[in-house]
Amino acid sequence: MKKYLITGGSGFIGSSLVNKLLSNNHFVRVLDDQSRGNRLQISNNNHFEFIAGDVRNINTVNQACQNIDSVVHLAFVNGTKYFYEKPELVLEVGVKGMINVLDAGKKNHVKELFLASSSEVYQTPPVFPTPENVPLSIPDLYNPRYSYAGGKIISELLTLYNGSKIFEKIVIFRPHNVYGPQMGYEHVIPELISKILKLTTKNNKSISLPIQGDGLSKRSFIYIDDFTDCLYLLLSKSKNRGIYNIGTSKEVTIQEIIAILSQITKTSISIKSTKSPDGSVTRRLPDVHKIKSLGFTPKISLKEGLIKTFLWYNDNQITA
């Protein structure tokens, strides 16, 4: 039985990974300050521990790393609005948390580190689909949006160069537009669903939906269950010092997402365009040949995933 520490483990991605690991009979310890996630409701499982604490506190991280084989470092401040409103917090949690994980890993002789990076490190890449070896950049130091990408790039560098001297194995993975139930309201799909639920009534099935931009920007979405299956595969089959995109090769516009949600909700939706935030990207399309070579194939179609996601938000209706 392998012993895992998941930092940020009560968040959207973290909780899904925790359940996957537990279902495969691994020991899992979660470190989370619960600032955005919710403590996992796992009963009668002797293979699960929860530590409520801040990844910026080295004593807490040291405690969490005791008798652990592998760390999956997810703890970070996510959600676009936070990048603009609290860039100093984004950077502090990202950089200080990363350094603490490295130091605690060294002190406790942890063997493996898996770092969650982001597609945001690519900004506007030179090629699509985008492979993992393209240059990473920060286009504008004065734009607070890039606090997130900057923190992720620093974390990657610390993992590759400092982490290589501490851990027997280090791996970096870059998620691309993961979506699904219980992901909060700070991302495009739950934002759209929330607005549709708020604007739609029994007597009003024709709405004007405000969105950022014109809806022609393109993304490649991956459903949370597929993402977690892929990440679980990386835990055993990835190469030391490997960097992996996790996503799909199916590209859609935001307008196409809205059209599918229109079908699901049986609502006539017209789009009301608004200005996109400075630094918004128009396209994300990962090259996924590396994860395919490990045997990963997504199972959930976009429409099926959107139905599952909509039904959850409809049943747990707290519109943003």
Side-chain angles (χ1 to χ4, degrees), residues 25-49:
N25 299 314
H26 296 290
F27 172 87
V28 181
R29 181 180 296 148
V30 165
L31 170 60
D32 202 299
D33 67 359
Q34 302 181 83
S35 58
R36 296 183 62 227
N38 294 308
R39 180 169 177 172
L40 299 172
Q41 299 301 312
I42 297 173
S43 58
N44 301 320
N45 194 317
N46 295 327
H47 296 162
F48 176 75
E49 290 181 3

Side-chain angles (χ1 to χ4, degrees), residues 262-286:
S262 175
Q263 294 173 8
I264 293 170
T265 60
K266 296 180 173 59
T267 302
S268 175
I269 302 175
S270 61
I271 293 173
K272 180 182 178 182
S273 298
T274 63
K275 185 179 182 298
S276 296
D278 291 340
S280 298
V281 295
T282 59
R283 195 177 181 193
R284 283 273 182 261
L285 178 63

Side-chain angles (χ1 to χ4, degrees), residues 22-23 30 43-44 48 53 60 99 121-122 137 143-144 150 167 195 202 213 218 237 241-242 260 269 285 296 299 319:
L22 289 173
S23 69
V30 165
S43 58
N44 301 320
F48 176 75
T60 301
I99 291 173
V121 300
Y122 295 129
S137 67
N143 186 336
F167 302 92
K195 289 176 182 177
K202 290 182 179 180
K218 297 179 179 180
K237 292 192 174 183
R241 292 174 61 87
I260 296 173
I269 302 175
L285 178 63
F296 173 69
K299 300 174 183 176
T319 55

Side-chain angles (χ1 to χ4, degrees), residues 115 117 136 152-160 172 174:
L115 170 68
S117 185
L136 310 183
K152 290 296 189 182
I153 292 172
I154 293 168
S155 295
E156 288 198 18
L157 289 168
L158 286 167
T159 295
L160 281 172
I172 296 167
R174 296 172 180 160

Side-chain angles (χ1 to χ4, degrees), residues 113-114 168-172 233-244 290 293-294:
L113 171 63
F114 294 85
E168 295 177 10
K169 182 178 182 179
I170 56 166
V171 175
I172 296 167
L233 190 66
L234 286 185
L235 296 181
S236 60
K237 292 192 174 183
S238 55
K239 295 181 179 179
N240 182 35
R241 292 174 61 87
I243 301 175
Y244 298 85
K290 279 189 175 183
S293 70
L294 297 179

Side-chain angles (χ1 to χ4, degrees), residues 96-111:
K96 188 175 287 187
M98 184 74 252
I99 291 173
N100 284 347
V101 166
L102 293 171
D103 289 345
K106 181 178 182 179
K107 182 176 182 178
N108 290 280
H109 308 289
V110 179
K111 294 181 179 180

